[in-house]
Amino acid sequence: MDSDAGLGRVSGGIGMTREEYRRALKGRRMYVGLDLSTTTDLTAAVGVFPDDPYFDVLSAFFCPKDAIRDRSLRDRVPYDEWMRRGFLQATPGPVVDYEAVRQQLLDWAAEFDLQMIAYDPWNATDLMQRLREKDGLNCVPMRQGFASLSAPTKSLEKAILGKRLRHDGHPVLRWCMSNVCVESDHAGNLKISKRASTERIDGAAALVMAVDLLDRNSAQTPPCQEIFFIGGRR
């Protein structure tokens, strides 16, 4: 599956500002997927909020400030503009400062009913230990193979086909979703492929992990099916 179908399809907004949308989420139950970066990737934290038969999405993205200009040229997307408009947090230095990620999650925990955080255990030990032991957040590892990712990938694909997933028109998430390629194994299991996707998909990877938590912890999984964007005006 390429970025012209399935997970890559997106559509327009329904006229709610980002501020109005966020206020509407306050206090609601939230599940977060966390995709931590290497030096070249984005770091993405994506939260989902069940609202049967829909669910809502809130995103935060991070990158090293030292590489903003080079990233904009290499990836051919406006990282500098996203940073100025508040869609991307650029932390000082050549790598993402995970303390900024930690603070974002703590801010979300104060504003919403943050239930769980799913994360790829690779390169995450120190941050997850701080979130668990110092901050009391419920963090669960999620392996990135077909066995773990197939069910939430298929669930998200249904969401993208059925207009039951809402978010605030976040341009970085929109870009990540447009870059998605999906691969399958011999048994028909699916997962988002960083190997096959030519551009950044970190937001999509975090969203799949969040959807997995939502599906596992909701009494009734929403029959979710295209991402349609809230935020026609900002």
Side-chain angles (χ1 to χ4, degrees), residues 37-111:
S37 65
T38 63
T39 57
T40 58
D41 295 329
L42 294 170
T43 282
V46 179
V48 296
F49 302 76
D51 183 27
D52 189 33
Y54 304 101
F55 61 90
D56 293 284
V57 176
L58 191 67
S59 307
F61 291 86
F62 308 81
C63 75
K65 190 171 185 178
D66 284 4
I68 282 283
R69 185 178 298 275
D70 289 343
R71 285 170 177 273
S72 296
L73 294 172
R74 183 184 62 240
D75 294 343
R76 302 181 299 280
V77 291
Y79 284 99
D80 49 354
E81 179 184 348
W82 289 341
M83 180 182 67
R84 287 194 299 269
R85 295 177 63 194
F87 293 113
L88 180 64
Q89 297 185 44
T91 65
V95 297
V96 171
D97 181 358
Y98 283 174
E99 275 300 306
V101 181
R102 179 188 177 198
Q103 186 58 56
Q104 178 67 77
L105 294 170
L106 291 175
D107 290 346
W108 280 356
E111 187 174 359

